[in-house]
Amino acid sequence: MSLEKIKQALSTVKYPGFSRDIVSFGIVRSVDFENGKASVSIAISTSDASIPPAIRDSVEVALKAVPEVSEVDVTVVLSGGKKPSQNDGSAPTEGIPGVKHVIAVSSGKGGVGKSTFAVNLACAFADILEAEGKKAGIMDCDIYGPSVPLMLGLSGRPFVEGESLIPMDGHKLSVMSMGFLVDEDTPVVWRGPMVMKTIQQFSQNVKWGELELLVVDLPPGTGDAQLSLVQTIPLSGAVLVTTPQPAATQVAKRGARMLEKTNVKILGVAENMSYLEAPDGSRQNIFGEGGGEQTAKDLATEFLGQIPLDQAIREGGDAGMPIVLANPESQAAKAFVSIARTLLDKVRS
Ligand code: ADP
């Protein structure tokens, strides 16, 4: 009997909550078959304690149904998200030199305020870490619309030192962006082929210095560009940004599936543009409500919080002064700081 038969049986096992099977998810690390005993090793990165036993049980059932198999041994290894396992050769293991934790900000589609969220989150991290004498940075990989330089009031080109790029400094953050390297009028079709090369450069050839935490602003969507990105950069985990309308849940879940496929740990879901507060304190749910919380529930991850719809957020973005710095007492700024604290605890634990 060939190993193929075992693999075939494994490919009938679905990842809990997904229609996709565990083989195509890339989480099966090794398969052995000897004297009727099938041994399977599975590596996953999940914070949901119910998933490893659920996978183990389904694998056992599937393999025991193969007539030649008399004994089944399933090992499920938790990769914890920090060091993704090399099960399918797709997950990177080498870290970015000098950088301790890397958190990606992702969204299933554009226009949800992902970059605004990433920039303000990075500023909140920088503030929190400054008290510890540590630094934060932001890597803007949004090839289609690199808006981080504008949002941080930066322009120009970074210095090149030998083979290395020196990140620019913006509001206590070390910043590297596609926007520094690509002219605004570079056609988007031409940017695609540059993605992998640039990302590799960003993670290996940027002199980040000592950073406690790096925020990565991923391109919107779930296509090849995003996939190669999360495969190239070793991530501590990812945050999904969504808007409140229930329909956004589907889009966000598509993003989550892509992350799961490459064993990236989902640290939580944040909801942007959640509500508009009137001067009398009443709240209007302009874009609907509940999308963020529902997405987090569906993905069995934490709901990190809500960022209000606030004209000052848009103005801060356009003026290069993120609201976390421009108005630290605002509800939005407080929400960003609270989310940053939760995430810092998560990646450090
Ligand atoms: P994405 O990165 O998802 O495409 P952006 O961060 O570029 O989205 O945001 C799109 C626009 O919405 C920007 O003009 C930004 O200033 C604005 N925006 C984002 N979040 C908010 C918010 N909570 N309140 C008001 N405006 C926002």
Side-chain angles (χ1 to χ4, degrees):
M1 191 191 109
S2 69
L3 278 179
E4 277 314 304
K5 256 192 176 167
I6 306 257
K7 283 187 187 157
Q8 240 170 37
L10 287 174
S11 67
T12 64
V13 176
K14 302 276 183 271
Y15 192 99
F18 289 86
S19 58
R20 203 171 179 140
D21 70 272
I22 57 169
V23 176
S24 71
F25 249 128
I27 61 170
V28 177
R29 199 153 60 168
S30 68
V31 183
D32 257 335
F33 182 65
E34 218 177 324
N35 300 329
K37 181 176 176 180
S39 310
V40 179
S41 166
I42 293 181
I44 51 173
S45 157
T46 178
S47 51
D48 182 348
S50 70
I51 289 183
I55 292 185
R56 184 181 300 119
D57 290 352
S58 329
V59 168
E60 275 182 8
V61 170
L63 293 185
K64 280 183 178 157
V66 179
E68 293 91 335
V69 174
S70 53
E71 201 183 332
V72 179
D73 177 24
V74 188
T75 319
V76 182
V77 183
L78 265 184
S79 56
K82 279 181 184 159
K83 280 200 175 61
S85 60
Q86 275 287 22
N87 54 74
D88 57 356
S90 64
T93 50
E94 258 179 55
I96 301 178
V99 179
K100 203 153 174 193
H101 307 288
V102 185
I103 295 181
V105 177
S106 164
S107 68
K109 65 180 180 86
V112 302
K114 175 183 54 60
S115 295
T116 305
F117 183 90
V119 162
N120 277 286
L121 184 71
C123 288
F125 279 131
D127 251 2
I128 296 168
L129 291 171
E130 192 181 35
E132 300 177 15
K134 293 177 177 151
K135 278 204 74 171
I138 183 163
M139 187 200 278
D140 174 16
C141 296
D142 190 341
I143 42 162
Y144 305 108
S147 43
V148 170
L150 173 81
M151 290 179 182
L152 287 168
L154 293 172
S155 60
R157 305 231 178 249
F159 286 113
V160 179
E161 207 180 84
E163 298 260 291
S164 303
L165 288 165
I166 309 297
M168 298 185 83
D169 276 321
H171 304 302
K172 298 182 214 163
L173 285 169
S174 297
V175 188
M176 187 50 71
S177 169
M178 280 295 284
F180 297 146
L181 309 173
V182 179
D183 286 324
E184 260 170 51
D185 40 8
T186 303
V188 165
V189 281
W190 197 72
R191 296 182 188 196
M194 295 168 39
V195 179
M196 276 306 287
K197 215 173 154 14
T198 310
I199 301 317
Q200 266 156 13
Q201 264 218 330
F202 275 15
S203 53
Q204 296 308 325
N205 294 0
V206 174
K207 275 199 175 168
W208 288 104
E210 291 294 311
L211 290 188
E212 180 71 6
L213 198 142
L214 180 66
V215 173
V216 177
D217 186 12
L218 291 179
T222 51
D224 285 351
Q226 293 75 21
L227 203 58
S228 36
L229 252 159
V230 292
Q231 286 171 339
T232 309
I233 306 169
L235 300 172
S236 313
V239 179
L240 275 172
V241 182
T242 183
T243 43
Q245 54 271 64
T249 309
Q250 287 310 321
V251 181
K253 280 203 285 196
R254 219 179 301 142
R257 253 173 243 142
M258 176 199 71
L259 296 169
E260 287 255 0
K261 194 179 156 199
T262 46
N263 278 344
V264 174
K265 183 175 180 175
I266 295 169
L267 299 168
V269 174
E271 189 183 84
N272 188 30
M273 310 190 186
S274 296
Y275 57 86
L276 182 70
E277 195 170 276
D280 66 3
S282 64
R283 290 180 175 187
Q284 274 179 287
N285 299 311
I286 297 194
F287 293 122
E289 62 187 311
E293 220 162 343
Q294 187 59 44
T295 306
K297 215 182 212 172
D298 292 348
L299 297 173
T301 187
E302 184 167 346
F303 181 52
L304 297 165
Q306 294 180 309
I307 310 296
L309 187 67
D310 184 343
Q311 190 172 331
I313 294 182
R314 204 265 309 144
E315 287 169 353
D318 289 349
M321 180 57 82
I323 194 156
V324 163
L325 307 173
N327 188 357
E329 289 311 310
S330 62
Q331 231 163 46
K334 285 180 180 165
F336 280 119
V337 171
S338 148
I339 292 172
R341 282 194 196 284
T342 307
L343 290 172
L344 202 54
D345 284 349
K346 280 192 170 222
V347 294
R348 281 175 165 173
S349 66

